[in-house]
Amino acid sequence: MHPTVVERELEVRLVLSPERSVPVPARFGYRSDDPFAVHITFHIDSERPVDWTFARELLVEGVFRPCGHGDVRVWPAKADGRGVVLLALCSPDGDALLEAPAAQVAAWLERTLRLVPPGTEGGRLGIDDALADLLAPAPADEPWGHGPRDPLAPRCAWPSDGSADAE
């Protein structure tokens, strides 16, 4: 099964001071095979774009109220009379405050939420199937009498409860 990708190109603003900001092209991305995360790629004047990945839940909540701590914080605000979502990103390479248009971020998030509704993300990871495959007995692991038996294996790998037939 191929993952479904929901992307949106947006122009966000890098806030340099209360009076000054510069536009930064950004791509917001979401993949159904990585259902807990959002990926944002910022195209700045550098050799390579800058990628950030964090919890989708953080961005969803941040559209409505301040949330997050540490490397990523998100909160709603007003800028020039319009609704924006502020993203404060901190890394060893530096800090950035970015301003994204709230309506466009919310519309993109709505598409991701329709694709993978909240609470169903875990089912998209295939963890249950992977664990079942991992824990399924191999033919050689079958109990004696139900599959091939290694003739060199001891008849009983561990002592029994102490009854007379224990060796």
Side-chain angles (χ1 to χ4, degrees), residues 72-95:
V72 179
R73 292 171 308 179
V74 185
W75 66 97
K78 292 279 186 191
D80 300 325
R82 60 187 176 83
V84 296
V85 176
L86 294 172
L87 294 112
L89 307 175
C90 302
S91 79
D93 296 327
D95 302 338

Side-chain angles (χ1 to χ4, degrees), residues 28 39 41 54-55 86-88 90 98 112 120 140 144 151 163 167:
F28 285 61
H39 307 272
T41 302
F54 55 91
L86 294 172
L87 294 112
C90 302
L98 297 145
T112 75
T120 67
W144 293 330
S163 62
E167 298 180 68

Side-chain angles (χ1 to χ4, degrees), residues 144 149-159 167:
W144 293 330
R149 180 178 182 276
D150 181 354
L152 301 176
R155 190 151 170 77
C156 183
W158 56 87
E167 298 180 68

